[in-house]
Amino acid sequence: MSFESLGLAPALLRALAEYGYEQPTPIQAAAIPAVLEGGDLLAAAQTGTGKTAAFALPLLQRMAAAGHATGRRPRALVLTPTRELAAQIHDNLRDYGKYVKVSSTTIFGGVGMGPQVQALRRGVDVVIATPGRLLDHMQQRTVDLSAVEVLVLDEADRMLDMGFLPALKRILAALPRQRQTLLFSATFAPAIKALALEFMREPREISVSPANTVAALVSHRVHPVDASRKRDLLLHLLSLDSRRQTLVFSRTKHGADKLVKFLEAAGLRAAAIHGNKSQNARTRALADFKSGRTTVLVATDIAARGIDIDQLPIVVNFDLPMVAEDYVHRIGRTGRAGAEGLAVSLVSHDESGLLRDIGRLLKQDIAIVDVDGFAPSQPLRLDAGAPRPQQQRQQQRPARAPKASPGSPAHRPRGHAQANGGGGEHAAGNRKRRRRRGTAAKA
Ligand code: AMP
């Protein structure tokens, strides 16, 4: 399968060739012809599958073909849950659209309204926005959405999780009814189906991989450890290869900051990215990580959406997410576009219940591997009564003096056994998915 055979214009094919894309990914092969036909599309695609190009390429083609007919008013609107994702999509649109005349701009919070107002005034074809700031512009009448022909809802499940449904409904009400709507979501949860039913017209459904599965090339590994020793274990793992770029997930913003301080004190170049940071600090942290100035980026779940770093080999879950689906999103940062990835989770006894949920959701066993010197005092439990952390659990007690010991990892594999509720060999279970909404602190 080639990009040529999907019906894309030569100007786009040229940019793709320069960008090094040789073949469409499965979601691109399925979605691009469908979007070019002009109908609505409901696509299940997880992060890292190439879904951005799946909507960006046909969008650019349509915008370029129609020319600049509407003056100042945008003709396409892409809604995303986070600022980082909006910025990422904007970059992609510019890269893919290098040889077509389609203008785009981002609209998101955390930065001044002024430049956004000016860009909208000058006139732009595609607006990539987060819902909150777009509503601000709508209220101030600095954006006119009456000429929007194409609406893309990217990571729609995430937007709902983040409480954007009321904002989405207000935005959708302001759009022309005659339009093409493309909805991308990692899952087709009932709330997504309801949204599609209300706002889409007989959408075609595409699902290139079963919902909530992670990239097949990602290996999963759990290191059981006492909560109080997680920081030491993280440092130990990072010190095994200090040049490797590592993305570390923390459940809370406060935990992310504390972890960065600890890592910096131990001599590592680390930065945090979360919702309490200014947009400039977030942009800088991401740029430093991408350029290799920092080797460790500690992120909360929501802030991490949209982080796209080529060939990120390893993702570490310093603590497990309260919602099992977030594990899938976290892991989507590695194993992208066909590369191999490793997902390592540091799991303490009180997170046993969360690990069990993740195993059920993934429908696969996760290798549980003790690290020499870090075996926990309390084993993981994967039976029905497995414990869960409190909502505002204190993340860490003060760490002991860090021991950055280079050399052999000294891992002792403990196999992939099924949940046995005991302390020996075990793995996250394999049963039917059960959806559970947690109350993790938002990024
Ligand atoms: P996405 O799922 O859109 O975030 O894309 C994930 C990663 O895959 C990004 O780094 C893209 O640049 C890359 N990518 C997307 N499509 C292709 C393709 N056809 N060939 C190679 N890499 C791709």
Side-chain angles (χ1 to χ4, degrees):
M1 169 79 68
S2 67
F3 279 111
E4 283 83 355
S5 66
L6 300 180
L8 289 172
L12 295 172
L13 295 174
R14 190 172 152 206
L16 289 179
E18 281 181 21
Y19 210 54
Y21 289 7
E22 286 167 7
Q23 283 184 339
T25 64
I27 183 73
Q28 290 162 2
I32 290 172
V35 179
L36 286 174
E37 272 175 26
D40 285 2
L41 179 75
L42 189 58
Q46 63 208 50
T47 318
T49 53
K51 69 182 166 60
T52 313
F55 66 77
L57 290 167
L59 180 68
L60 285 165
Q61 180 140 326
R62 177 172 177 160
M63 297 289 111
H68 297 255
T70 58
R72 290 176 176 174
R73 292 175 297 162
R75 293 180 295 143
L77 173 64
V78 182
L79 289 174
T80 77
T82 66
R83 302 160 186 182
E84 281 76 18
L85 189 55
Q88 186 73 52
I89 293 169
H90 189 216
D91 287 348
N92 286 344
L93 276 173
R94 279 199 294 215
D95 288 334
Y96 306 148
K98 195 171 163 192
Y99 299 112
V100 293
K101 276 205 168 83
V102 177
S103 57
S104 52
T105 195
T106 50
I107 298 285
F108 50 67
V111 292
M113 296 270 283
Q116 297 175 355
V117 172
Q118 281 160 20
L120 291 166
R121 245 188 229 143
R122 276 196 301 274
V124 66
D125 297 310
V126 186
V127 166
I128 307 131
T130 53
R133 178 57 71 90
L134 183 65
L135 270 185
D136 292 345
H137 281 281
M138 286 165 62
Q139 269 153 10
Q140 299 188 15
R141 300 188 186 284
T142 43
V143 67
D144 179 352
L145 299 176
S146 62
V148 168
E149 298 163 27
V150 184
L151 168 70
V152 181
L153 298 166
D154 192 25
E155 308 215 343
D157 52 336
R158 193 62 177 190
M159 287 199 274
L160 298 190
D161 282 353
M162 288 169 70
F164 281 137
L165 185 60
L168 285 182
K169 289 195 165 176
R170 284 174 61 193
I171 294 166
L172 284 157
L175 300 178
R177 289 170 73 88
Q178 186 68 38
R179 59 161 197 265
Q180 183 180 28
T181 305
L182 316 174
L183 186 153
F184 288 79
S185 170
T187 69
F188 282 161
I192 294 293
K193 285 277 192 183
L195 195 67
L197 209 64
E198 196 175 340
F199 294 104
M200 299 175 80
R201 291 184 182 186
E202 297 171 14
R204 270 180 71 168
E205 283 190 25
I206 290 180
S207 180
V208 289
S209 55
N212 283 324
T213 58
V214 291
L217 289 167
V218 177
S219 331
H220 306 263
R221 190 187 296 161
V222 161
H223 294 316
V225 61
D226 285 339
S228 60
R229 299 215 57 212
K230 279 192 179 184
R231 301 203 298 193
D232 292 344
L233 176 54
L234 177 65
L235 195 56
H236 169 72
L237 296 173
L238 293 174
S239 67
L240 297 176
D241 185 354
S242 57
R243 289 157 307 168
R244 188 162 64 176
Q245 299 286 110
T246 306
L247 180 61
V248 178
F249 281 95
S250 158
R251 203 182 297 141
T252 66
K253 298 173 244 193
H254 181 58
D257 285 337
K258 276 172 65 176
L259 201 50
V260 165
K261 281 200 186 114
F262 172 79
L263 295 174
E264 283 178 338
L268 288 174
R269 283 170 298 144
I273 183 164
H274 58 64
N276 278 2
K277 300 262 179 198
S278 70
Q279 187 54 39
N280 280 345
R282 285 161 70 159
T283 306
R284 193 171 54 241
L286 194 53
D288 283 351
F289 187 60
K290 283 188 175 184
S291 70
R293 278 176 58 136
T294 51
T295 49
V296 187
L297 186 65
V298 184
T300 52
D301 287 293
I302 289 169
R305 299 289 281 190
I307 293 179
D308 172 26
I309 298 149
D310 280 345
Q311 312 289 333
L312 193 59
I314 178 166
V315 166
V316 176
N317 294 307
F318 183 76
D319 33 35
L320 291 180
M322 294 295 281
V323 182
E325 282 87 346
D326 281 344
Y327 182 88
V328 178
H329 291 304
R330 289 180 176 192
I331 296 322
R333 310 290 126 200
T334 185
R336 306 196 114 195
E340 283 186 24
L342 175 63
V344 173
S345 303
L346 314 187
V347 183
S348 54
H349 171 80
D350 63 330
E351 295 173 303
S352 301
L354 303 181
L355 179 61
R356 201 173 60 119
D357 291 346
I358 290 166
R360 287 175 164 183
L361 183 64
L362 296 184
K363 298 192 177 67
Q364 77 183 69
D365 292 344
I366 300 177
I368 298 187
V369 181
D370 273 348
V371 180
D372 271 355
F374 290 92
S377 55
Q378 274 188 295
L380 299 182
R381 268 183 57 185
L382 297 164
D383 56 297
R388 294 166 190 285
Q390 296 299 307
Q391 188 188 341
Q392 293 298 330
R393 185 173 67 90
Q394 189 61 32
Q395 286 250 307
Q396 288 292 305
R397 284 179 232 130
R400 285 180 257 165
K403 213 171 31 159
S405 47
S408 128
H411 291 157
R412 224 159 13 90
R414 298 180 72 175
H416 303 248
Q418 285 295 309
N420 62 7
E425 297 194 336
H426 39 224
N430 204 5
R431 267 153 277 151
K432 212 174 156 210
R433 181 181 158 218
R434 180 173 58 89
R435 198 172 170 82
R436 188 183 58 76
R437 281 275 144 249
T439 45
K442 282 200 167 169

